[in-house]
């Protein structure tokens, strides 16, 4: 959908939603391919971990107190693994 999840607070489509979201779902996040590197490489792993840090930081301005954030992943996922989130 063309949403940069790390910059939600700056996206015009989300203006006026400060502290208004009850739930956010992110299905199988991936930080994108890095030429010459494979998933599992430390550089790529850092990008995936950083994506999640920035995502959760960006949500602070949009989430209602008590809101729910669900991120889909699994132990064998390509991209963001469950261990990066927990």
């Amino acid at each position: 959908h063309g949403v940069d999840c790390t910059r939600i607070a700056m996206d015009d489509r989300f203006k006026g939603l400060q502290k208004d979201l009850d739930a956010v779902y992110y299905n199988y996040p991936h930080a994108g391919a890095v030429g010459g590197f494979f998933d599992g490489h430390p550089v790529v792993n850092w990008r995936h971990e950083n994506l999640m840090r920035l995502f959760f930081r960006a949500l602070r301005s949009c989430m209602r107190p008590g809101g729910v954030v669900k991120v889909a992943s699994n132990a064998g996922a390509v991209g963001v693994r469950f261990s990066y989130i927990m």
Side-chain angles (χ1 to χ4, degrees), residues 3 5 16 25 28-29 38 40 45 50 53 80-81:
V3 175
C5 73
Y25 298 88
Y28 300 98
F38 55 90
N45 287 344
N50 197 48
R53 279 188 207 101
V80 175
R81 292 181 174 84

Side-chain angles (χ1 to χ4, degrees), residues 14-84:
F14 294 92
K15 289 228 182 203
L17 291 180
Q18 287 75 17
K19 305 293 183 194
D20 203 35
L21 298 179
D22 291 320
V24 172
Y25 298 88
Y26 195 169
N27 291 319
Y28 300 98
H30 197 284
V34 179
F37 296 98
F38 55 90
D39 274 329
H41 187 280
V43 169
V44 177
N45 287 344
W46 176 86
R47 285 173 47 94
H48 293 317
E49 289 177 33
N50 197 48
L51 172 68
M52 297 314 301
R53 279 188 207 101
L54 295 174
F55 168 64
F56 288 120
R57 183 183 300 160
L59 287 179
R60 284 189 279 187
S61 67
C62 298
M63 294 300 296
R64 184 175 294 189
V68 177
V69 178
K70 294 186 178 187
V71 180
S73 190
N74 60 50
V78 174
V80 175
R81 292 181 174 84
F82 78 97
S83 60
Y84 300 163

